[in-house]
Amino acid sequence: MGKQAASEELASIPALLARNARKFGAKTAYREKEFGIWQSWTWLEASEEIRAIALGLLTLGIERGDHVAIIGRNRPALYWSMVAAQMVGAVPVPLYQDAVAEEMAYVLDHCGARFVFCEDQEQVDKVIEIQEKVHHIEHVIYVEPRGLRKYDHSHLHWIRDVQAEGRAAQQRFGAELAARTDELGYDDTCVMLYTSGTTGRPKGVVLSNRNIIESSKNSAEFDKLTADEEVLAYLPMAWVGDFIFSIGQAYWCGFCVNCPESADTVMVDLREIGPTYYFAPPRVFETQLTGVMIRMEDASRVKKWLFDTFMQHARKVGPQILDGKPVGLWDRFKYWLGDIVIYGPLKNMLGLSRVRVGYTAGEAIGPEIFDFYRSLGINLKQLYGQTEASVFITLQPDGEVRSDTVGVPGPGVEIRIAENGEVFYRSPGVFVEYYRNPESTASTKDAEGWVATGDAGFIEEGTGHLRIIDRAKDVGKMADGRMFAPKYVENKLKFFPNILEAVVFGSGREFCTAFINIDLTAVGNWAERNNIAYASYQELAAHPKVYEMIQGHVEEVNRSIAQDEMLSGCQIHRFLILHKELDADDGEMTRTRKVRRRIVEEKYADLIGALYDGSKEIYTETEVTYEDGRKGKISATLEIRDAAVVGEGKVAAQ
Amino acid sequence: MMDQGVEGYVTEDGRQIGGVLMALQNITLRFGGVVALRDISFDIREGEIRAIIGPNGAGKTSMLNVINGFYHPQEGQITFGGKTRSRMRPYEAAKQGISRTFQNVALFTGMTTLDNIMAGRTLKMHRNFFWQMLRHGPALEEEIEHRRKVEEIIDFLEIEHIRRTPVGQLPYGLQKRVELGRALAAEPSLLLLDEPMAGMNVEEKEDMSRFILDVNDQLGTTIALIEHDMGVVMDLADRVVVLDYGKKIADGLPSEVQNDQAVIDAYLGVPH
């Protein structure tokens, strides 16, 4: 009963804001580094700022149910704009700010936004360009005035001016604002988020206040989050995770959201803030680890020896100590010493000293990478989720953390595995609908509320943990009927720091082949140490020594796959190293950096052909898109190599 | 050539440009027997972007060096901010509000971005050396004030991420930006840029162009620049003066200069 009452009263984000302003008034709610100094706002100040924006929106004639697009990097003013939009009964729609104008135009057109908040001139320019095709955008509001002074301001407003207008109109619109905020219900729309979509057009996922608040509450309780957490908001605002962490959980718990100074200073800001609750996709952890390893290669011999010795010890006992398992006294002492000499300073350098709860998700994380962070004493865990679930499907409880599972169902989440292995779930976080897309809604969510994840997996006997193998639609059969799970193999390849991305082919084929993308940082550094000269990414990628090294990795993966009877057919027989990085601007990846398999297959059909027709090399031309939208062509002759496979001889002999 | 009257003129993008900030009259500069600049007169007006162009060896950098007092012309006079002079030392020019960047980046390579830009504020510091060593009281207050200004510039030029990086480690394009930052730190009334885009790729040039326009627009700084990239000059400059072999051959709006026969001849050469 008490729970119900609490929910009724706190049925929206603005209601939570009002509670926080009352309860935590003088506590810091937002920080942003500007002019080299962390500026902060208390909950009371933040709620006043948000109110001013909301009143300003009313003076501009915003209606209930209007969509308000938000484009920019993580900044308090943009978070406030989202909540202000909710206060006046409108729906915030955050967009990926690095999307090219065409992608943005589709979303703006689809959601019918009348109001757009932009961070700076770059975004305003994009929106003005889009306005030529999308005519319902009426007002554009910007945060950063630089360069915009000479623009036509009839429909363009600086956010400070909007706030000033709003404050001045307090008399006129105060009652209207209060009425609109009060009528917000638990099942009204809280936010609309466009999924990046590995296939087809982005879909607008409608999430209600119930979805967001219940999910935030459940997950916060699961990890015992308090009002004293510090988070760094640096992931795209359009991503559901950021909305849950930086708004949902932050407002539910009343903790502080810190915004970095710029996209390039995130690592420095991370170190200065020292978040206690931290989320990063595996890529970030990989990059950080690669960075540490590269720097250790250049360190003095003593430092290197200390690092190697203590890291070895940490790998042995670190995770056990973290999980509270029994560890010998001598080992504990050695770990304590290591913490003073290596782990502590290293964690501090990485900005992870204070992390109490850390999560990674989105992609599989390499076991070595995962164990590295855990052995340092960082409580890094995995979760499994998606936009349609308001993030959380499964999470790893403290003490049950492993790199090969994604955890147990979160509070209130039910899981079902279909015949074909696809994972289904049902939870309070399940989305309302795809906006203006009843067909997709119906094919994803059934009448009883079960949602198809599109991932194939199974529940592990005994532990109850969920294990994900691959995208359900990607799991296929090879020509001889053996199971083909590309993602499984790609992940194993990507666990090597030298391999940034891999795409494996083999569905309906005799054998498997792969495209490899090298990691320029790691391979570049390796080249430097081995006196290999190169002038470009393309030249480095085609270097015979690089091919040799990658071949070694591929063969190691083959040996590891061969041990798994079910998947041994997925060993890679032939591979090539791509001459360019797969890129979201070229449509080859989503904005969240997931490979769009079908587009890659179409675009590089010639290369795939060559992988299967036995040629030793192939000449190819590829169209590339530059950051400003211009297009160009690059050409290259790519070498194709054969890799040794294990146990295939036996199959052939039978 | 158009006649730029005393009351100013209207730029091609429709801005009203005001009075004369600096007037150069009949400047002649000789190095021994070599005449680097011969009887050159033109003016720089408040709030405009003034480009000085010309083929290699035309005397562009010499002209810039005359403007900021590094070279002393044998003939002619310079009026800046109402005062007429024939000789001035570079630090006097700096004191009067002229700051500049160099063709070959001239930063303190061992110092960080922050310190380099802070160095640009030297002339604005009033407390003496001992006060500053104490870092106390008024000196501290002053330092904080200067640091705030420097941070505004860092924010303006979007170089937050390299605040603490020694500039020697930075790529060339960023070094150029830091140098611009240092010049801006003096809060100049006239900013001289010697080939701000030299050696940059297209993207860096676009960034730099935007910064130059923003400096002119947001801070209201008058800018005189030398540049080789004609596309950049035609886009950025409000007025262009063209030099060739130390002589002024044209002066006017970009569109006028572009179609001037003498300019075309100077750049493409004429059959003899």
Side-chain angles (χ1 to χ4, degrees):
Chain A
M1 176 61 213
K3 214 174 183 179
Q4 188 61 36
S7 308
E8 288 299 319
E9 197 187 315
L10 301 170
S12 67
I13 299 292
L16 287 170
L17 173 68
R19 180 203 64 177
N20 291 347
R22 277 197 310 274
K23 199 169 154 191
F24 307 117
K27 223 179 128 302
T28 307
Y30 287 94
R31 269 193 217 105
E32 182 181 32
K33 197 172 180 186
E34 261 203 316
F35 304 121
I37 296 172
W38 287 97
Q39 323 276 341
S40 56
W41 292 265
T42 64
W43 279 105
L44 206 59
E45 287 162 349
S47 77
E48 203 281 322
E49 296 277 356
I50 293 168
R51 203 180 133 75
I53 301 174
L55 286 165
L57 286 172
L58 286 176
T59 64
L60 292 173
I62 196 165
E63 296 292 339
R64 290 177 181 83
D66 274 347
H67 285 96
V68 177
I70 317 278
I71 313 168
R73 67 177 175 85
N74 318 64
R75 301 192 64 168
L78 292 181
Y79 286 112
W80 299 340
S81 304
M82 290 214 265
V83 182
Q86 294 171 334
M87 283 179 89
V88 294
V91 178
V93 185
L95 306 186
Y96 286 97
Q97 95 247 31
D98 58 349
V100 291
E102 189 190 328
E103 273 174 50
M104 221 173 246
Y106 172 78
V107 173
L108 287 174
D109 186 35
H110 186 256
C111 72
R114 283 180 61 213
F115 290 77
V116 181
F117 279 87
C118 292
E119 189 209 336
D120 57 14
Q121 186 185 15
E122 188 185 340
Q123 311 301 340
V124 171
D125 285 345
K126 259 192 238 177
V127 173
I128 289 174
E129 188 188 326
I130 290 168
Q131 267 176 316
E132 285 167 19
K133 282 178 284 176
V134 180
H135 301 293
H136 46 65
I137 301 169
E138 284 175 30
H139 295 283
V140 179
I141 300 159
Y142 57 85
V143 177
E144 189 62 65
R146 165 142 42 106
L148 288 165
R149 214 183 53 173
K150 282 190 277 182
Y151 283 50
D152 170 18
H153 271 65
S154 52
H155 295 279
L156 185 64
H157 318 269
W158 186 25
I159 194 165
R160 296 262 174 87
D161 294 337
V162 172
Q163 287 182 305
E165 286 279 309
R167 287 188 182 106
Q170 156 72 22
Q171 287 287 332
R172 231 168 358 126
F173 288 111
E176 168 79 9
L177 178 63
R180 288 206 196 181
T181 307
D182 285 343
E183 72 191 29
L184 293 175
Y186 217 30
D187 288 305
D188 289 335
T189 304
C190 176
V191 66
M192 187 154 94
L193 300 161
Y194 277 82
T195 55
S196 45
T198 29
T199 48
R201 290 287 199 179
K203 288 178 280 194
V205 180
V206 176
L207 296 171
S208 66
N209 287 317
R210 180 187 300 277
N211 295 152
I212 295 295
I213 294 176
E214 291 280 328
S215 299
S216 302
K217 179 173 78 95
N218 288 341
S219 52
E221 281 166 7
F222 185 86
D223 280 309
K224 303 175 190 68
L225 301 179
T226 69
D228 297 322
E229 310 300 337
E230 296 277 350
V231 296
L232 186 73
Y234 71 103
L235 291 160
M237 289 181 74
W239 178 60
V240 65
D242 188 61
F243 193 84
I244 286 281
F245 302 133
S246 306
I247 292 195
Q249 291 179 334
Y251 278 60
W252 177 261
C253 302
F255 62 66
C256 177
V257 174
N258 299 281
C259 297
E261 187 168 24
S262 79
D264 299 321
T265 59
V266 170
M267 284 304 146
V268 178
D269 298 330
L270 182 71
R271 195 152 76 215
E272 288 176 358
I273 288 298
T276 59
Y277 177 44
Y278 179 61
F279 180 94
R283 187 176 288 266
V284 170
F285 289 109
E286 269 172 49
T287 316
Q288 276 196 331
L289 177 57
T290 311
V292 170
M293 289 307 179
I294 287 171
R295 285 171 70 170
M296 282 321 297
E297 293 288 344
D298 296 335
S300 69
R301 221 178 268 180
V302 179
K303 279 187 191 160
K304 199 161 155 37
W305 178 83
L306 272 175
F307 179 78
D308 291 340
T309 313
F310 280 110
M311 280 318 297
Q312 202 182 350
H313 183 67
R315 273 192 205 99
K316 203 173 91 192
V317 301
Q320 279 89 317
I321 292 177
L322 191 61
D323 286 344
K325 289 185 185 138
V327 171
L329 207 60
W330 170 241
D331 278 342
R332 265 182 198 279
F333 172 74
K334 220 172 137 189
Y335 190 83
W336 172 80
L337 199 65
D339 198 38
I340 295 172
V341 190
I342 298 288
Y343 322 142
L346 182 56
K347 276 192 284 187
N348 188 28
M349 218 274 298
L350 296 170
L352 304 176
S353 295
R354 297 204 296 163
V355 171
R356 203 169 57 72
V357 182
Y359 273 112
T360 185
E363 292 272 330
I365 186 166
E368 296 83 14
I369 299 164
F370 194 65
D371 291 343
F372 172 82
Y373 287 96
R374 287 194 60 82
S375 65
L376 289 177
I378 297 163
N379 187 19
L380 179 62
K381 311 197 280 183
Q382 293 197 78
L383 64 81
Y384 171 64
Q386 52 177 208
T387 310
E388 287 82 348
S390 311
V391 178
F392 305 99
I393 300 174
T394 64
L395 311 93
Q396 292 181 327
D398 289 341
E400 293 179 38
V401 180
R402 286 162 46 191
S403 65
D404 57 349
T405 81
V406 291
V408 299
V413 182
E414 299 165 80
I415 288 206
R416 198 185 71 192
I417 310 288
E419 296 262 309
N420 65 351
E422 187 168 352
V423 180
F424 285 74
Y425 65 91
R426 185 161 70 175
S427 76
V430 166
F431 73 119
V432 180
E433 59 167 355
Y434 291 122
Y435 187 65
R436 287 194 191 156
N437 194 346
E439 303 88 52
S440 288
T441 310
S443 66
T444 309
K445 186 169 90 159
D446 70 14
E448 290 165 16
W450 287 99
V451 179
T453 59
D455 288 325
F458 61 93
I459 301 272
E460 205 175 66
E461 303 253 335
T463 60
H465 277 242
L466 180 67
R467 278 183 71 170
I468 300 292
I469 314 173
D470 202 339
R471 296 289 297 169
K473 67 169 170 42
D474 289 339
V475 176
K477 293 237 183 313
M478 301 183 55
D480 55 4
R482 284 177 299 173
M483 185 175 172
F484 170 66
K487 193 72 161 286
Y488 176 79
V489 185
E490 286 160 13
N491 285 336
K492 278 191 183 285
L493 284 167
K494 278 158 65 179
F495 293 157
F496 291 98
N498 293 327
I499 299 180
L500 182 71
E501 213 49 74
V503 191
V504 174
F505 308 98
S507 187
R509 305 271 195 175
E510 300 288 322
F511 56 85
C512 287
T513 57
F515 287 172
I516 307 280
N517 252 179
I518 56 167
D519 185 316
L520 188 59
T521 325
V523 180
N525 190 269
W526 169 87
E528 203 175 292
R529 276 182 285 117
N530 289 280
N531 291 323
I532 293 173
Y534 65 99
S536 64
Y537 180 88
Q538 194 176 335
E539 193 180 330
L540 183 64
H543 198 282
K545 283 252 172 85
V546 173
Y547 256 94
E548 238 163 68
M549 173 178 69
I550 298 293
Q551 184 166 6
H553 294 338
V554 171
E555 285 169 359
E556 201 176 325
V557 166
N558 282 349
R559 282 193 290 279
S560 138
I561 297 172
Q563 288 167 6
D564 194 328
E565 220 168 286
M566 208 163 59
L567 295 163
S568 65
C570 298
Q571 292 183 62
I572 293 159
H573 290 236
R574 285 160 65 76
F575 74 94
L576 60 80
I577 300 176
L578 283 178
H579 51 302
K580 72 175 272 292
E581 262 187 59
L582 296 177
D583 197 329
D585 287 341
D586 293 328
E588 295 155 342
M589 289 186 133
T590 65
R591 291 281 155 204
T592 48
R593 300 199 62 90
K594 286 180 187 156
V595 172
R596 285 188 163 127
R597 197 171 293 277
R598 211 182 313 149
I599 290 172
V600 171
E601 269 172 28
E602 272 169 30
K603 190 165 175 182
Y604 297 105
D606 54 336
L607 300 184
I608 299 173
L611 281 170
Y612 284 98
D613 68 9
S615 20
K616 282 279 152 215
E617 56 174 41
I618 171 149
Y619 172 79
T620 186
E621 273 184 359
T622 315
E623 193 179 76
V624 291
T625 313
Y626 299 110
E627 242 172 50
D628 59 2
R630 280 180 293 198
K631 286 187 194 302
K633 262 199 169 151
I634 54 171
S635 59
T637 303
L638 303 180
E639 184 190 347
I640 297 173
R641 286 237 182 159
D642 292 321
V645 290
V646 185
E648 291 285 292
K650 257 189 288 173
V651 177
Q654 285 164 3
Chain B
M1 280 305 102
M2 68 180 255
D3 173 41
Q4 289 115 19
V6 194
E7 65 286 344
Y9 71 103
V10 178
T11 65
E12 285 176 347
D13 59 351
R15 277 184 311 134
Q16 177 66 42
I17 295 293
V20 175
L21 179 70
M22 175 178 268
L24 297 126
Q25 279 151 353
N26 311 102
I27 301 289
T28 299
L29 175 72
R30 279 186 292 266
F31 298 108
V34 183
V35 184
L37 300 170
R38 194 192 300 270
D39 193 26
I40 292 180
S41 304
F42 67 96
D43 61 14
I44 300 169
R45 283 163 185 270
E46 233 155 279
E48 75 175 344
I49 299 182
R50 185 70 146 132
I52 303 170
I53 65 170
N56 282 332
K60 303 183 297 290
T61 300
S62 297
M63 193 70 240
L64 218 59
N65 282 334
V66 166
I67 293 176
N68 89 320
F70 191 67
Y71 291 159
H72 305 297
Q74 279 78 9
E75 290 162 34
Q77 58 181 16
I78 303 168
T79 313
F80 178 64
K83 267 186 270 177
T84 304
R85 62 177 164 89
S86 57
R87 288 182 78 84
M88 175 167 63
R89 307 216 164 269
Y91 71 85
E92 288 169 335
K95 258 187 185 162
Q96 287 180 24
I98 302 176
S99 62
R100 71 172 290 180
T101 67
F102 297 85
Q103 197 169 347
N104 316 308
V105 178
L107 289 162
F108 307 109
T109 49
M111 278 159 51
T112 63
T113 300
L114 189 66
D115 291 338
N116 266 286
I117 300 178
M118 202 68 164
R121 292 202 60 82
T122 310
L123 283 171
K124 301 265 169 192
M125 300 200 182
H126 302 298
R127 299 288 153 188
N128 66 32
F129 182 66
F130 290 102
W131 270 110
Q132 289 187 9
M133 279 217 330
L134 285 174
R135 296 194 97 212
H136 199 68
L140 183 63
E141 260 167 47
E142 195 186 25
E143 169 136 1
I144 291 171
E145 179 55 27
H146 288 307
R147 176 64 190 275
R148 196 177 60 79
K149 284 276 181 211
V150 169
E151 285 293 343
E152 279 170 17
I153 291 165
I154 289 177
D155 180 69
F156 191 87
L157 297 175
E158 293 168 10
I159 45 177
E160 295 98 340
H161 59 294
I162 52 163
R163 190 186 276 130
R164 304 270 180 200
T165 314
V167 294
Q169 294 175 14
L170 296 174
Y172 182 71
L174 277 176
Q175 290 196 6
K176 281 262 183 194
R177 227 191 279 180
V178 175
E179 204 188 24
L180 175 61
R182 188 181 58 187
L184 287 177
E187 297 176 56
S189 49
L190 176 61
L191 177 64
L192 310 176
L193 304 174
D194 196 351
E195 299 208 18
M197 323 274 177
M200 287 189 172
N201 63 32
V202 176
E203 205 175 315
E204 286 169 334
K205 275 184 187 173
E206 282 176 356
D207 279 349
M208 191 48 110
S209 302
R210 193 164 56 84
F211 287 125
I212 291 172
L213 286 173
D214 284 351
V215 167
N216 178 245
D217 179 45
Q218 308 285 114
L219 310 179
T221 311
T222 307
I223 296 171
L225 64 90
I226 293 178
E227 187 47 58
H228 265 303
D229 187 321
M230 278 309 122
V232 168
V233 169
M234 293 305 155
D235 282 350
L236 286 184
D238 297 320
R239 282 194 306 163
V240 182
V241 53
V242 191
L243 304 184
D244 188 24
Y245 291 113
K247 282 183 302 210
K248 181 170 106 170
I249 58 170
D251 186 0
L253 301 176
S255 55
E256 294 172 340
V257 166
Q258 225 165 352
N259 299 319
D260 190 283
Q261 194 54 47
V263 177
I264 296 169
D265 291 346
Y267 270 90
L268 301 178
V270 272
H272 292 286

